[in-house]
Amino acid sequence: MSTPEPSHDGPSALPAPVRDRLQRATHSVLVDTRALERVRTRFDAEQAHALGRYLANAQSANTLRAYRADWTAFTAWCLAEERQSLPADPVDVAVYLAACAQARTNDGAAWALAPSTLERRAAAIAAVHGAHGLDSPTRADVVRMTLRGIRRTRRARPRRKDPIVLSTLDALLAVRPTDGHPGGVARRRDAVLLLTGFAGALRRTELAALTLDDVHVRTDAASGAAALVITLAATKTDQEGRRGQTVALPRGRQRTTCPVCAFADWCDLLQAHHQGGDQAVRAHLASAHTPVAPTAHRCQDLTRNPLADGTGRPLLPTVTRYGRVGERAMSGRAVGDLVKRYAQRAGLDPDDFGGHSLRAGFATQAALGGATDREIMRQGRWTNPRTVHDYIRTANPLEDNAVTRLGL
């Protein structure tokens, strides 16, 4: 039994019946447009529009994209098998998940879908039913037991990306584009990305979402040096931004690994771009292209963020190969791709690294440096100590381990 995958060629490439069913929901999938039409008959258009907008933003953009793809796949399967997708019969959902679990890659060498992906597909089916006021078929025992059986059959520890520890970070920084124009633009932006992601234990989506208004310059009371305090809006564990989480980035021991110096260099270039465009950037890079001693910090005279003007400009905008600074922010996927690209340039296997490698690297390097669980959890905003313990075991499996007392 085959499992049609959603097309990547846009809605027009989908079969007409699938498009017809998808049109019953908005782009968010989780909003019942028929219910909104009934709202419009009782309230004015502005009130109904406000309701629809807030409902559509109840889930993160990444979750909505994943759910839409999952719902499209389930709808296509139902049409191929002559089943009803909404409301769906629990047995049909169970058979669908079993069929997905059996799917292999094109070369037949591996399973096409991980158990976690199948659980997300079940969650998408439940969410769409809930949005339409229908009981979820995934609550039925036949579906829950099917998922349990898949997990037990496909029992395997998820393959994690390798952490970027300090030595790896040095290697990635060393293979950035050469200074001058045009490579100097990406060189400066990517230093901010790598150092902020590593020192701040940031997820790739958190990095991509940062704006210049989120970065605040403070003075470290202990050393008197400049430090950065970054305010995070919505995060994976605080999607509504209620806790107002922050991360602090102190001055590094060396200029080349100092996140504050990297930010100051990047601000200089962005200011030139803001004032004079590409020509000013070219001139700035030409004047700044001089060797700098590793101990000569650029951030010693940084007292404020000169680009925090309330406009919400991205901290990490797109940069073309010609050194042109874009207006859009990098995507979370682009952050992960950039890490992979630098890993490959450094002679490492790019498949071993990704956007999460920066966050994992912080925890691993901090554990190697003797940081406590509490200290690691505070900067990384982890709430479960077991997650931190996994990183500590990766960093030093002999730490706090009774095997060292066996007297061998």
Side-chain angles (χ1 to χ4, degrees):
M1 184 180 297
S2 62
T3 305
E5 292 292 329
S7 171
H8 298 286
D9 298 325
S12 60
L14 296 171
V18 177
R19 292 201 307 272
D20 178 63
R21 292 193 187 186
L22 290 175
Q23 286 170 357
R24 298 178 186 177
T26 65
H27 67 281
S28 74
V29 181
L30 304 184
V31 179
D32 185 353
T33 53
R34 292 180 177 179
L36 284 181
E37 286 297 331
R38 292 194 293 271
V39 170
R40 290 188 179 92
T41 64
R42 298 173 57 194
F43 301 93
D44 61 44
E46 184 177 348
Q47 291 172 317
H49 177 71
L51 174 63
R53 184 172 71 254
Y54 291 126
L55 287 174
N57 284 282
Q59 294 281 4
S60 71
N62 286 340
T63 298
L64 294 176
R65 279 193 293 269
Y67 278 9
R68 181 172 178 82
D70 294 338
W71 181 248
T72 301
F74 179 61
T75 302
W77 181 87
C78 286
L79 286 170
E81 298 295 328
E82 298 183 350
R83 303 294 178 180
Q84 181 173 292
S85 60
L86 193 70
D89 184 278
V91 174
D92 291 345
V93 175
V95 173
Y96 166 70
L97 293 173
C100 291
Q102 291 294 105
R104 308 285 294 192
T105 55
N106 291 334
D107 58 7
W111 300 109
L113 301 172
S116 59
T117 302
L118 302 181
E119 290 176 347
R120 192 196 66 207
R121 289 194 170 189
I125 294 170
V128 174
H129 278 74
H132 288 76
L134 301 170
D135 291 336
S136 172
T138 61
R139 295 177 182 172
D141 283 346
V142 65
V143 177
R144 294 190 299 107
M145 296 299 289
T146 299
L147 285 172
R148 183 183 299 177
I150 292 171
R151 287 193 297 269
R152 289 176 64 86
T153 304
R154 299 267 299 279
R155 189 181 300 152
R157 185 175 179 85
R159 181 176 181 242
R160 290 180 172 174
K161 297 297 184 182
D162 286 355
I164 292 176
V165 293
L166 197 55
S167 58
T168 317
L169 181 65
D170 286 336
L172 300 191
L173 290 169
V175 294
R176 287 173 296 150
T178 56
D179 212 348
H181 192 273
V185 181
R187 179 181 178 85
R188 284 161 174 74
R189 183 203 62 181
D190 296 347
V192 174
L193 187 156
L194 293 170
L195 292 169
T196 302
F198 176 79
L202 297 176
R203 300 176 178 89
R204 63 179 188 174
T205 52
E206 294 169 350
L207 266 173
L210 290 177
T211 70
L212 289 163
D213 296 326
D214 296 328
V215 185
H216 314 277
V217 179
R218 299 287 186 266
T219 301
D220 184 351
S223 65
L228 302 180
V229 176
I230 297 178
T231 302
L232 303 178
T235 66
K236 181 179 180 181
T237 56
D238 183 23
Q239 296 194 5
E240 298 177 11
R242 291 184 176 183
R243 291 198 288 268
Q245 297 176 329
T246 60
V247 294
L249 307 181
R251 185 171 74 173
R253 293 182 180 180
Q254 302 181 57
R255 189 192 197 284
T256 53
T257 56
C258 175
V260 190
C261 283
F263 176 72
D265 287 340
W266 182 230
C267 280
D268 289 344
L269 186 143
L270 289 181
Q271 276 188 302
H273 180 264
H274 183 64
Q275 295 169 358
D278 294 335
Q279 291 299 322
V281 169
R282 189 185 294 268
H284 171 76
L285 289 173
S287 63
H289 184 40
T290 54
V292 179
T295 56
H297 277 265
R298 160 67 182 85
C299 63
Q300 56 191 3
D301 58 348
L302 186 68
T303 57
R304 65 182 184 89
N305 177 1
L307 299 175
D309 55 7
T311 59
R313 286 180 290 168
L315 173 66
L316 301 172
T318 57
V319 172
T320 70
R321 68 180 68 182
Y322 306 107
R324 293 173 182 164
V325 180
E327 296 182 359
R328 295 184 298 107
M330 296 178 66
S331 66
R333 177 174 293 182
V335 171
D337 290 343
L338 182 143
V339 171
K340 286 178 173 292
R341 188 162 60 250
Y342 278 136
Q344 187 170 31
R345 289 183 188 176
L348 305 171
D349 187 345
D351 292 336
D352 291 338
F353 297 90
H356 187 69
S357 294
L358 293 169
R359 180 170 166 83
F362 162 83
T364 305
Q365 187 66 54
L368 286 169
T372 65
D373 292 3
R374 180 177 175 274
E375 291 171 327
I376 297 173
M377 291 172 67
R378 178 181 178 181
Q379 181 76 340
R381 291 99 52 220
W382 280 287
T383 58
N384 188 344
R386 287 180 299 180
T387 305
V388 176
H389 292 164
D390 283 343
Y391 290 118
I392 293 175
R393 283 195 292 270
T394 301
N396 188 357
L398 296 179
E399 179 72 23
D400 196 25
N401 191 330
V403 73
T404 60
R405 301 177 182 272
L406 294 179
L408 296 176

